[in-house]
Structures are given as C-alpha cells and as structure tokens.
Amino acid sequence: MYSEKVMDHFQNPRNVGEIPDANAVGTVGNAKCGDIMKIYMKIDENKVITDIKFKTFGCGAAIATSSMATELVKGKTVEEALELTNKAVVEALDGLPPAKLHCSVLAEEAIHAAIEDYCQRNRIPFQGKKCEGCCSSCHNHE
C-alpha cells in the first residue's frame, strides 16, 4: 500500500513540466521497469536551484518520487542537492513498498545527472557525487 503522501504526490505532482532555458538537464531510466525521469533545473550564479521541473514516464511511485525530489532540492544550493539520497526521498514520502524503492533511486540519480550536466556545461570537474570546485564551501571532496 502507498502512503497518503505518495498518493498526494502522484495525484497532484509538484513541479511538472519543462524549463525551456534550463541550464541543467538530467535524464535517467530503468530498463527493467521502463521508468524514465527527466529533470530540468535553473541554477543561478550563486549555484542555487531557483527553478526545477520534471517529466516522468512511469508508475505512480516514479511520479511521486520525482515530485518529492524536486520539492526537496528547490531553493537549495548545488552542494545541498548533491546530498539528496533515495532514503531521504522515501522518508519524505512516508515510505514506499520494497518493490518500488528503485523509483527513489532513479529520482536521486536524476537530480545528480542534472547537476553533472550543469557542471559539464560550465566546465566544472565532476566525479560521482563530488562537485570538485563548483561550490565555494563544498564538503563533498574534503
């Protein structure tokens, strides 16, 4: 069974759509289940995510995790967004059935893929969850 929060984010997803002038775009998919998530971000000169939208093709859990992940990182810095974990997404949704936990992993990966795209566009070294030099006070690579 799905929690009330999962149902709410599935039936009333936040931040749906595209950002035409996005300066960060990340797409991830899971061939096993067919879910595809695309995250669009607008990141300002202070490396703050000022706008974020998503388009997800998939089940209700995929839509809910995309919606929640965007809510969790909107207004955050790139460094804060890189700290997002699938566990945090699941907790914010008051849980997911075990068979749907992969959706939360996709949501985390989509956020990170968009940030990686941002770093590439701005010629900032990026390795995995490290934003090496993109943030003035990043602790991910200490």
Side-chain angles (χ1 to χ4, degrees), residues 23-25 39-52 69 72-85 108 110-122 124-141:
N23 56 0
V25 180
I39 300 280
Y40 302 84
M41 293 181 182
K42 191 72 173 167
I43 300 172
D44 71 11
E45 64 279 354
N46 297 314
K47 297 180 185 64
V48 173
I49 301 166
T50 58
D51 197 9
I52 184 167
L72 291 172
V73 301
K74 190 173 189 175
K76 305 281 189 195
T77 64
V78 168
E79 99 179 47
E80 291 168 329
L82 283 170
E83 294 175 7
L84 179 74
T85 63
E108 173 188 339
I111 296 291
H112 291 184
I115 292 170
E116 182 175 7
D117 177 59
Y118 170 79
C119 289
Q120 287 176 348
R121 290 179 191 217
N122 291 281
I124 299 166
F126 182 93
Q127 291 184 344
K129 292 184 180 181
K130 297 180 181 179
C131 56
E132 299 181 8
C134 70
C135 309
S136 61
S137 61
C138 183
H139 303 288
N140 290 332
H141 54 271

Side-chain angles (χ1 to χ4, degrees), residues 98-116:
K100 295 299 181 176
L101 289 176
H102 68 276
C103 295
S104 65
V105 173
L106 279 179
E108 173 188 339
E109 290 174 350
I111 296 291
H112 291 184
I115 292 170
E116 182 175 7

Side-chain angles (χ1 to χ4, degrees), residues 27-43:
T27 304
V28 296
N30 182 324
K32 184 174 101 177
C33 65
D35 295 329
I36 300 168
M37 294 181 185
K38 190 167 191 174
I39 300 280
Y40 302 84
M41 293 181 182
K42 191 72 173 167
I43 300 172

